[in-house]
Amino acid sequence: MKLIVLFFVSILAATTNLSAEETAFITGKVISQTNGDALIGARVFLKDQKKGAIAKMGGNYRIKNVKPGTYTLICTYVGYKKFEVANINVAPGETKQIDITMVSEIVSTDAIVVTAKAIRNNGAALLKDRQKATAMSDAIGAEEISRGGSSDAGDAIKKITGATTEGGKYVYIRGLGDRYASTQLNGAQLPSADPDKRSVHLDLFPTNLIENIVTTKTATPDKPGDFTGGAVNIATKSFPDKFRASISLSSSMNSQTTGEEMLTYGGSDTDWLGYDNGKRSIPSAVQAIIDNPDMDVPYLQETWMDPAKAQLLNNLSKSFDTQMSPTTTTAPINRSFSANVGDQVDLFGSELGYVASFSYGRKFKSYNNGINAFYSLSGSADDITSLTDDNVVSDQKSTDEVLWGAMGNLSYNLTQNNQISLNYMYNQSGETTARYQEGYDRYYGMDRIYETRVLGYVERNMSSMQFSGKHNIPMLNTSKLDWQISLSNNTQDEPDLRFFTNDYYVDEETGEKTYDIDQSLYKYPSRYFRDLSEDLNSVNLNYELPMKDWVGNALKFKTGGAYTEKTRSFQEYRFDIAQDKINYDGDAENFFKDNMGITDSSSRFPRFGNYIQYYDPTKASYDGEQTIWAGYGMLDWNLPFVSNFRVIGGVRYETTDISVTSRDTSKAIGELNEQDWLPSVNMVYGFTNDMNLRFAYGKTIARPNFREFAPYSSFEYVGGYILLGNSELERTKIDNYDLRWEYFANPGEILAVSVFYKDFTNPIERVIINVNKEIQYKNVESATLYGAEFEFRKQLGFLGNWANKFQMGTNVTLVQSSVDISPEELKVIQAYDPNAKGSRELQGQSPFIVNIDFAYVNFDSGTDASIHYNIFGKRLSEVTEQGTPDVYEYSRPDLGLVFSQKLMDNLKLKLSASNILNTQVKKAQEFKGTEYITQQYSLGRSFSIGVSYTLD
């Protein structure tokens, strides 16, 4: 870490003289007012000066080496009126951004002349990507992300209309869970490192690497058809207009963690780097047995008459780390570091842009006041007054999270009409978990208290290599060709996940505790070693041909295709620690330290204390393959005879081939082979240059993921839910309808109202299938969802000059959903509860989502302060069976403050506070007016301070 800091400091020191240069830059983007297209080849120059530039890919231009002064900027392009911007004041070393919107000669017969001050209020600033986009979308940029105090993409996306996250990692759009959202990096799909989820972990992306996050909410034929709530695209930082470098350091604390006792256990010396150095690996002696098909870990009975096997079992048992219970330590302060550098340089007469970024963070979280419980309906709802408490435990949990990432981006303009780019991103994370629970379980006996412990480590890494090109083809009616090749890999390793459960009885007279490990009631102490690797390779090709219809209106035809290949390998090794002639006395540390292997060799047969049992890994290991071919055709048409009415429509064809094969050949293969035609249409009517009415229809699908197909069981802790796969799942088909009115009043301002309706066929849900706490993925027959979104963002200068520096924004999403319960399931439910309804909410769907922010921004003093509020409505978490009330996750308001102040030209101080209300995570069931808490824990308040130094 010290070497990395020194590296970036040396870069800053070596280039400090650049900030003193007198010359400046004028940059910007040239687009068409008609459809927002970039006008490649437009000439931009300074009046009466011999300086200018040609707009290249994306319509971007850059005039270099501009001396301080006042200028008039002129832009010309064939078929468009000349555009002039007067009174542009350029300061020494400044990068002045002037975006230009060209007006067709058909619309205007005169040249367009504005002042530099007015340019911020005309179409150049108003016609952003969202306003001219083919589909309905919402976005958040790097500036808003920084102002909101977000540390990663999972935190930042909550500021987007209709978006929330589960556990700070999994995105929910319009209340729909991760299966109905797709996550892309620079337009390419990413693999998931979570065996149970389709969604990518958004907390893997530090905000330091992010340029913007765009959520597309309606389908178009040129986009993958497997999203319904939204398609999230994370765009990494592109190269800047001139040299720019920055470095930042920050620290934070949590009110219930920092400086307090937290649970932990002995890890490896490299945990601070986000990976295990091999300490948690399967011991080499054991691995040698696993790798040798002619050898097995001996059973206890084999050792009675075979001294060699007794010695082998003894050695193997003693080779494991003996810690099975957490210890305590004092939680240190959280810290983070980030740095980036970028520039444009001339190479063979063209621009080569580069960006390199690095970030590192370590965060500690802990709670000791948690509750976990299970309740059931033990009879007819008409005859009983309360639910039965099957299991109630106190819960303590601590985590130590490390996340670091690096990104490099190169873009080169081969010519004015050709650009190629190479992007590489690598993220590494490691999370240590220690957990302790204590309580009772009705199945174990109400006179016994049981204890369960979890020691875990999850190591994830994601690498993505993207090679792409954009080509303008003037000879073919200025058509456009773009392509992308993406190679991604995600891994998740869980080395030596340890579970240890025991129970004890308290004598009422003496108060003495009698301990036991009852192998007939719960699992042996056990250790799991899990490895997941997922590769995703994709190729995308798009071709766009501008045309005109029979009356001369603009018409664009777009076609292309995509190929995606995803493979996953998952394997799990399990070792139980059984007991022979030994009793547990309550001392967890010494029980495993002193009693592993042979404890008495003086008798005729060797006597073991704790010894390992090895389970065939094929029972829980599987391989998955997914291949998707896609092709599409679409038209983007400004309709004749109807002014400002645009239609974007077409059809996409996708073939799906999924196979999930257990390494246990006796288990069924999960397969899905389907072909889908996915038509869609988006209509945009422009009332004025700054007001749109949009309508959209699209058919989309949601595919089961590998884990949902895989026929094996897993659990989070002993006594918790057991998750089962289902090889008979089908894909979900969805019809989507959207209507939106949007008004872009001034730069940075918007007022929008949307309504939407979705009809699901065969939606997939997680259902509690029996009293053994087993959960399985199942298709239900149908579901519907409808709702509305309201978005408002406004500068407050209209209240008076005193309010010029204030702005506020809010977005509200209201959603209602309904899932039809199958007749078979409803019959079982009504046997317990005759008044049960035949429908319920869609799992994971929130009835409302609210975001509010209020900001003060003073560019002159360098002061930026904001307050943010977010809340989601109570949402269905777990679907139960047999009449027991479903489990709901309750609302959790989140209030945060961020303040930043420029201390000098390049130095900034930033302070922030989050979860100021100290809200709790809470899940519960309701029965006859009583609330039964199934999970609850507090998050604590967090406060941070940071400094950043920027050189440009």
Side-chain angles (χ1 to χ4, degrees):
M1 180 60 66
K2 292 180 180 179
L3 291 175
I4 294 171
V5 175
L6 289 174
F7 170 72
F8 278 97
V9 169
S10 65
I11 291 176
L12 297 180
T15 54
T16 301
N17 62 316
L18 293 178
S19 63
E21 289 185 358
E22 292 296 319
T23 57
F25 297 84
I26 297 179
T27 67
K29 187 174 184 178
V30 184
I31 61 174
S32 168
Q33 184 190 55
T34 305
N35 52 23
D37 281 353
L39 298 181
I40 300 171
R43 293 182 64 246
V44 186
F45 57 93
L46 299 179
K47 187 176 182 180
D48 300 328
Q49 303 288 322
K50 295 181 179 180
K51 286 189 179 296
I54 301 296
K56 299 187 178 181
M57 298 303 299
N60 297 301
Y61 72 91
R62 180 177 184 241
I63 303 176
K64 300 181 288 185
N65 301 323
V66 179
K67 294 182 179 180
T70 301
Y71 298 93
T72 295
L73 187 74
I74 298 176
C75 181
T76 61
Y77 190 74
V78 176
Y80 289 81
K81 298 305 298 182
K82 183 172 70 173
F83 197 98
E84 294 188 14
V85 186
N87 300 322
I88 301 175
N89 294 313
V90 180
E94 180 184 13
T95 298
K96 178 76 72 174
Q97 181 170 338
I98 304 293
D99 294 329
I100 300 172
T101 299
M102 302 291 285
V103 179
S104 170
E105 287 181 334
I106 298 175
V107 177
S108 174
T109 59
D110 299 318
I112 308 298
V113 182
V114 299
T115 66
K117 181 177 180 180
I119 192 74
R120 291 192 293 269
N121 290 319
N122 97 332
L126 295 176
L127 296 178
K128 300 294 185 183
D129 290 341
R130 171 174 171 175
Q131 186 178 4
K132 292 299 181 181
T134 57
M136 299 183 196
S137 61
D138 299 304
I140 184 170
E143 183 178 347
E144 291 81 6
I145 292 173
S146 175
R147 183 171 297 149
S150 302
S151 60
D152 56 59
D155 192 22
I157 200 170
K158 292 188 294 185
K159 312 298 191 298
I160 293 179
T161 304
T164 60
T165 58
E166 178 190 17
K169 305 175 188 292
Y170 311 110
V171 63
Y172 278 58
I173 305 293
R174 289 176 167 176
L176 291 167
D178 67 279
R179 79 169 60 259
Y180 299 108
S182 67
T183 304
Q184 299 173 328
L185 179 68
N186 299 318
Q189 188 178 348
L190 289 171
S192 173
D194 192 317
D196 298 336
K197 300 283 187 177
R198 174 178 184 261
S199 179
V200 176
H201 278 212
L202 291 179
D203 61 345
L204 279 174
F205 299 92
T207 53
N208 175 62
L209 307 182
I210 299 172
E211 181 70 28
N212 58 62
I213 303 173
V214 177
T215 301
T216 303
K217 294 181 176 178
T218 60
T220 54
D222 57 340
K223 302 294 183 184
D226 60 345
F227 76 89
T228 299
V232 178
N233 183 52
I234 301 171
T236 55
K237 290 185 180 295
S238 58
F239 56 84
D241 297 313
K242 65 172 187 175
F243 176 83
R244 183 174 288 111
S246 67
I247 185 170
S248 64
L249 299 166
S250 67
S251 295
S252 66
M253 61 165 292
N254 182 276
S255 60
Q256 70 179 30
T257 303
T258 310
E260 304 292 332
E261 276 196 351
M262 65 176 287
L263 301 179
T264 187
Y265 77 99
S268 74
D269 294 337
T270 56
D271 284 0
W272 68 278
L273 288 173
Y275 73 91
D276 178 78
N277 65 2
K279 183 179 179 181
R280 298 180 179 90
S281 299
I282 296 176
S284 57
V286 179
Q287 189 65 55
I289 299 293
I290 295 173
D291 295 339
N292 190 335
D294 297 325
M295 297 184 67
D296 294 298
V297 175
Y299 293 102
L300 180 65
Q301 295 83 351
E302 295 179 275
T303 67
W304 293 342
M305 302 301 293
D306 190 331
K309 289 188 175 181
Q311 191 58 47
L312 177 60
L313 182 60
N314 174 71
N315 294 340
L316 297 178
S317 299
K318 288 184 174 181
S319 66
F320 285 89
D321 187 312
T322 59
Q323 185 174 3
M324 293 292 292
S325 185
T327 56
T328 60
T329 188
T330 301
I333 198 167
N334 304 324
R335 55 267 195 185
S336 64
F337 160 81
S338 66
N340 62 72
V341 61
D343 196 7
Q344 284 192 36
V345 296
D346 290 330
L347 182 64
F348 305 122
S350 292
E351 297 89 354
L352 173 68
Y354 68 88
V355 166
S357 297
F358 176 83
S359 65
Y360 173 88
R362 188 172 187 180
K363 183 185 299 182
F364 302 88
K365 298 179 182 179
S366 183
Y367 64 81
N368 57 16
N369 56 356
I371 298 172
N372 277 276
F374 293 91
Y375 296 91
S376 64
L377 187 68
S378 57
S380 173
D382 291 336
D383 300 331
I384 60 177
T385 59
S386 62
L387 298 179
T388 300
D389 50 346
D390 294 327
N391 173 291
V392 179
V393 298
S394 62
D395 187 20
Q396 300 179 55
K397 184 180 180 182
S398 300
T399 60
D400 174 0
E401 304 174 18
V402 173
L403 171 63
W404 63 268
M407 188 268 292
N409 190 16
L410 293 173
S411 290
Y412 182 62
N413 292 324
L414 292 169
T415 66
Q416 173 185 313
N417 294 302
N418 297 277
Q419 182 185 83
I420 58 173
S421 299
L422 177 65
N423 177 277
Y424 179 76
M425 173 178 279
Y426 182 89
N427 285 319
Q428 178 78 34
S429 72
E431 180 176 327
T432 304
T433 299
R435 193 171 193 175
Y436 172 79
Q437 296 174 317
E438 182 182 50
Y440 66 87
D441 189 298
R442 190 171 297 276
Y443 179 72
Y444 301 160
M446 298 300 289
D447 59 338
R448 295 182 176 186
I449 302 297
Y450 85 97
E451 302 173 291
T452 187
R453 308 156 186 85
V454 182
L455 303 180
Y457 185 77
V458 179
E459 178 186 329
R460 298 185 179 95
N461 71 62
M462 186 204 74
S463 61
S464 173
M465 174 78 76
Q466 298 176 342
F467 187 45
S468 59
K470 297 179 180 179
H471 309 278
N472 193 40
I473 311 174
M475 65 201 60
L476 294 177
N477 201 21
T478 319
S479 59
K480 299 176 183 177
L481 176 71
D482 67 81
W483 53 269
Q484 184 183 65
I485 300 172
S486 177
L487 308 175
S488 301
N489 172 263
N490 248 338
T491 65
Q492 174 175 291
D493 294 332
E494 283 186 274
D496 208 356
L497 173 63
R498 309 169 207 181
F499 300 100
F500 171 37
T501 302
N502 68 271
D503 66 83
Y504 64 85
Y505 168 79
V506 181
D507 189 287
E508 294 183 358
E509 295 183 1
T510 64
E512 293 184 358
K513 296 180 180 180
T514 302
Y515 290 88
D516 189 21
I517 299 177
D518 195 330
Q519 301 170 2
S520 65
L521 295 178
Y522 41 77
K523 294 181 180 294
Y524 290 106
S526 55
R527 315 174 83 114
Y528 290 78
F529 297 81
R530 297 170 177 162
D531 300 301
L532 179 148
S533 179
E534 183 169 298
D535 293 298
L536 192 152
N537 302 323
S538 65
V539 179
N540 293 279
L541 180 68
N542 301 286
Y543 176 72
E544 182 181 290
L545 178 64
M547 299 184 294
K548 291 185 178 181
D549 61 22
W550 63 93
V551 296
N553 273 27
L555 175 66
K556 287 190 293 188
F557 172 70
K558 190 175 183 180
T559 187
Y563 171 76
T564 302
E565 180 184 72
K566 183 191 297 185
T567 59
R568 173 183 288 186
S569 173
F570 177 83
Q571 58 186 3
E572 175 183 277
Y573 298 96
R574 171 186 165 190
F575 301 89
D576 284 352
I577 303 176
Q579 292 78 47
D580 184 18
K581 298 296 182 179
I582 186 175
N583 294 318
Y584 178 57
D585 61 1
D587 187 344
E589 180 179 357
N590 290 324
F591 178 70
F592 294 98
K593 181 185 296 184
D594 299 336
N595 298 294
M596 292 301 294
I598 297 174
T599 56
D600 182 5
S601 57
S602 60
S603 59
R604 179 180 177 185
F605 305 120
R607 294 299 182 185
F608 281 79
N610 294 307
Y611 63 95
I612 64 168
Q613 293 180 329
Y614 174 56
Y615 287 82
D616 183 359
T618 60
K619 300 291 184 183
S621 301
Y622 67 91
D623 296 296
E625 296 181 359
Q626 174 179 289
T627 302
I628 299 171
W629 288 93
Y632 72 91
M634 63 180 283
L635 290 176
D636 185 346
W637 189 16
N638 292 305
L639 291 185
F641 314 120
V642 184
S643 179
N644 299 321
F645 191 33
R646 182 182 175 198
V647 176
I648 305 98
V651 65
R652 185 178 184 89
Y653 178 72
E654 291 192 353
T655 67
T656 303
D657 186 358
I658 303 176
S659 175
V660 179
T661 306
S662 173
R663 296 177 193 171
D664 180 353
T665 56
S666 66
K667 294 184 178 180
I669 297 175
E671 291 183 298
L672 183 65
N673 301 101
E674 300 289 350
Q675 299 80 42
D676 292 286
W677 290 95
L678 305 174
S680 64
V681 60
N682 284 260
M683 292 186 285
V684 186
Y685 177 67
F687 289 102
T688 64
N689 287 337
D690 51 19
M691 185 185 300
N692 290 331
L693 179 66
R694 293 177 176 268
F695 168 78
Y697 164 77
K699 182 178 285 292
T700 59
I701 57 176
R703 302 179 179 94
N705 66 35
F706 289 139
R707 173 62 184 94
E708 293 166 345
F709 269 132
Y712 88 100
S713 63
S714 60
F715 55 91
E716 186 177 357
Y717 57 88
V718 175
Y721 286 119
I722 300 172
L723 188 62
L724 304 174
N726 182 356
S727 62
E728 299 180 356
L729 289 175
E730 301 178 25
R731 76 194 185 290
T732 304
K733 295 184 285 187
I734 310 100
D735 290 291
N736 307 270
Y737 303 86
D738 290 80
L739 182 66
R740 172 181 286 184
W741 173 82
E742 54 190 10
Y743 174 46
F744 300 86
N746 289 302
E749 297 182 352
I750 186 173
L751 177 62
V753 180
S754 309
V755 293
F756 54 89
Y757 174 82
K758 300 178 184 294
D759 188 6
F760 299 76
T761 302
N762 294 326
I764 300 172
E765 293 201 311
R766 286 171 30 134
V767 178
I768 300 175
I769 59 175
N770 55 43
V771 296
N772 296 325
K773 305 173 188 174
E774 291 184 331
I775 294 178
Q776 189 174 44
Y777 298 99
K778 286 189 174 183
N779 287 108
V780 295
E781 184 174 346
S782 63
T784 58
L785 179 144
Y786 61 90
E789 292 176 333
F790 306 90
E791 184 178 6
F792 171 77
R793 182 163 295 281
K794 180 70 176 174
Q795 307 286 335
L796 302 184
F798 68 93
L799 297 177
N801 290 334
W802 64 271
N804 281 334
K805 296 177 176 61
F806 290 91
Q807 60 187 41
M808 71 168 296
T810 183
N811 59 73
V812 178
T813 302
L814 306 175
V815 186
Q816 289 292 319
S817 65
S818 177
V819 177
D820 294 331
I821 301 173
S822 68
E824 296 80 6
E825 182 183 350
L826 183 61
K827 183 178 180 180
V828 174
I829 293 173
Q830 290 182 340
Y832 291 86
D833 183 2
N835 299 317
K837 298 180 180 180
S839 63
R840 60 172 175 263
E841 299 97 325
L842 195 65
Q843 186 179 22
Q845 177 265 315
S846 297
F848 67 85
I849 304 166
V850 178
N851 286 294
I852 301 173
D853 64 83
F854 185 81
Y856 170 82
V857 182
N858 189 327
F859 292 105
D860 296 330
S861 65
T863 305
D864 194 329
S866 59
I867 182 171
H868 305 266
Y869 179 81
N870 168 268
I871 188 172
F872 63 85
K874 185 173 72 172
R875 58 195 182 195
L876 180 60
S877 177
E878 305 292 348
V879 178
T880 63
E881 286 193 338
Q882 300 179 347
T884 297
D886 295 331
V887 179
Y888 284 82
E889 182 179 3
Y890 280 61
S891 296
R892 187 168 67 250
D894 184 10
L895 179 65
L897 292 170
V898 181
F899 171 83
S900 66
Q901 177 64 54
K902 182 185 291 185
L903 302 180
M904 55 182 67
D905 287 343
N906 303 101
L907 188 65
K908 180 184 288 187
L909 172 69
K910 188 173 184 179
L911 306 171
S912 67
S914 60
N915 194 34
I916 295 173
L917 303 177
N918 196 21
T919 55
Q920 293 185 321
V921 174
K922 176 181 170 183
K923 295 182 180 181
Q925 298 163 286
E926 292 183 6
F927 183 71
K928 293 189 175 181
T930 301
E931 184 178 274
Y932 297 84
I933 297 174
T934 59
Q935 184 181 36
Q936 182 173 282
Y937 60 89
S938 58
L939 298 168
R941 299 179 177 90
S942 294
F943 306 91
S944 72
I945 180 172
V947 292
S948 61
Y949 181 80
T950 302
L951 181 64
D952 56 14

